[in-house]
Amino acid sequence: MRVETKAVHTGVNIDGSYNSVITPIYPSSTFMFDEIGKNRGFDYTRSGNPTRSALADNICALEGGTAAWITCTGMAAITTTLFIFKPGDHIITGDDIYGGTYRLFFDVFTRMGLRFSFVNMRDEAAIRAAITPETKAVWIETPSNPLLNLVDVAAVTKIAREHDLVSIADNTFLSPCLFNPFEHGVDVIVHSTTKYINGHSDVVGGAIVVRNDKHAETISYYVNALGTGASPFDSWLVLRGIKTMPQRMEAHMRGAMAVARFLESCPRVKRVYYPGLESHPQHELAKRQFRGFGGMVSFDLDVDQLTPQEFFSKLKLFVLAESLGGVESLIEQPWTMSHASMPEEARIQAGLSQGTVRISIGIEHPDDLVEDLKNALA
Ligand SMILES: *Cc1c(COP(=O)(O)O)cnc(C)c1O
């Protein structure tokens, strides 16, 4: 089955009593035993729930894994996954990863005894140089946020295999429609389903997908032990959203390409970041590695001509808000919003400025989006 068909037809846990066509919400905290030691597959919702497992089956099929879990947020998926490791273990990751992940690694898990190196993941020598006898994993996130730098995933997982490291990928930005990390040597995938998978800006959620039994056993244990599983209602909303993800991704990308090309022609825009543009330094890698370039576009405004504040105030369609992956286009200034928690020096080091603007392209008509930007940039 192709992705469009899988998204609709996998993980459909119909109700046997009334033959519902879609998976019902089972908001039951507990499930009756037929007799001691015999139940119908579920006993308590922290450990497992039919609505949640329908969504897990769906995402598992879309990623090509062997098992999956649905968590209450993307951060909960990442937190649970980190329990694969023990104090003293060292993990190599990018210096431009999602801010919440950086905080979790640098503040929370460092205090619990894990160690992290934040390196430029485009530089294979830097990755190799960071490997120590304690290194246990590489944590990959691609494309980066907000400047859309890419990681050559097959090259990084090859290094990981040579050193017996676990490869973990956060596939939130591309979604299983545009990239399947398992095909490039990754062992564990995490998602924030809050973004493209749900796609309607009305749930926070996460997912973990594995492809070997050892990781399955560990993750299954920790989702239950930590209590990081998602609610039946949230799982149901995401299950509803995921069915149209392939069509939404196509619309996001059509809009993103049109907007990126328009911005490139704009005198008040200094630089545009989109992997689908020939001007992107890793455009060839993007074409080779991904099935599409995604729905995120960033650019540098010429602040001497127009400040982000003036620009935002003239927009009619783009909503000034953080997050991404929803049906409506969102715009923000990473310097004061999504990346404000980074120290100023780190922001500059990462290539950000006050003029950097990030857009999550929705599924509106591309011509309307371009027209709105054209008016605001005039
Ligand atoms: C949003 C996001 C997360 C965190 O997910 P939440 O659902 O907000 O907890 C993790 N990784 C990436 C790449 C994200 O964009």
Side-chain angles (χ1 to χ4, degrees), residues 72-78 97-98 100-101 141 143 145 170-173 190-195 203-206 323-324 358:
C72 54
T73 59
M75 292 323 298
I78 296 171
I97 56 171
Y98 177 70
T101 308
E141 191 183 304
N145 176 13
D170 181 335
N171 198 25
T172 300
F173 262 53
V190 299
H191 277 285
S192 167
T193 59
T194 311
K195 317 294 166 51
V203 187
V204 287
S323 195
L324 59 120
R358 185 187 85 176

Side-chain angles (χ1 to χ4, degrees), residues 32 63 82 138 145 150 160 208 226 236 238 245 263 276 307 339 358 364 375-376:
M32 193 165 73
E63 283 294 18
L82 283 179
V138 288
N145 176 13
L150 310 181
I208 308 166
L226 295 167
W236 183 82
V238 177
M245 175 174 57
L263 290 170
T307 68
H339 291 65
R358 185 187 85 176
E364 302 93 336
N375 290 337

Side-chain angles (χ1 to χ4, degrees), residues 33-50:
F33 281 67
D34 291 317
E35 57 186 75
I36 290 177
K38 185 163 172 261
N39 61 35
R40 302 193 187 173
F42 298 96
D43 55 11
Y44 186 60
T45 280
R46 171 157 43 73
S47 325
N49 176 279

Side-chain angles (χ1 to χ4, degrees), residues 132-256:
T132 72
E134 283 71 45
T135 307
K136 292 285 152 44
V138 288
W139 187 283
I140 300 164
E141 191 183 304
T142 192
S144 76
N145 176 13
L147 297 184
L148 303 163
N149 295 315
L150 310 181
V151 175
D152 185 335
V153 179
V156 173
T157 59
K158 182 166 169 287
I159 298 173
R161 269 196 308 282
E162 285 165 18
H163 293 85
D164 213 14
L165 314 178
V166 182
S167 299
I168 306 170
D170 181 335
N171 198 25
T172 300
F173 262 53
L174 288 166
S175 89
C177 291
L178 306 185
F179 188 52
N180 292 117
F182 288 148
E183 290 169 8
H184 299 259
V186 165
D187 303 301
V188 179
I189 299 170
V190 299
H191 277 285
S192 167
T193 59
T194 311
K195 317 294 166 51
Y196 291 106
I197 288 182
N198 179 58
H200 292 74
S201 311
D202 51 11
V203 187
V204 287
I208 308 166
V209 194
V210 302
R211 60 167 181 172
N212 79 48
D213 293 344
K214 193 171 120 267
H215 292 141
E217 205 175 303
T218 313
I219 301 294
S220 178
Y221 175 82
Y222 280 106
V223 169
N224 182 45
L226 295 167
T228 45
S231 79
F233 184 67
D234 285 356
S235 303
W236 183 82
L237 278 173
V238 177
L239 199 49
R240 177 181 154 130
I242 203 168
K243 292 179 197 293
T244 56
M245 175 174 57
Q247 291 76 18
R248 282 188 281 108
M249 289 315 296
E250 281 172 25
H252 288 301
M253 288 194 292
R254 257 197 313 277

Side-chain angles (χ1 to χ4, degrees), residues 45 48 102 159-160 175 192 264 300 328 331 346:
T45 280
Y102 178 83
I159 298 173
S175 89
S192 167
E264 250 190 344
D300 292 329
E328 61 290 288
I331 197 161

Side-chain angles (χ1 to χ4, degrees), residues 56 141 335 338:
E141 191 183 304
W335 188 266
S338 58

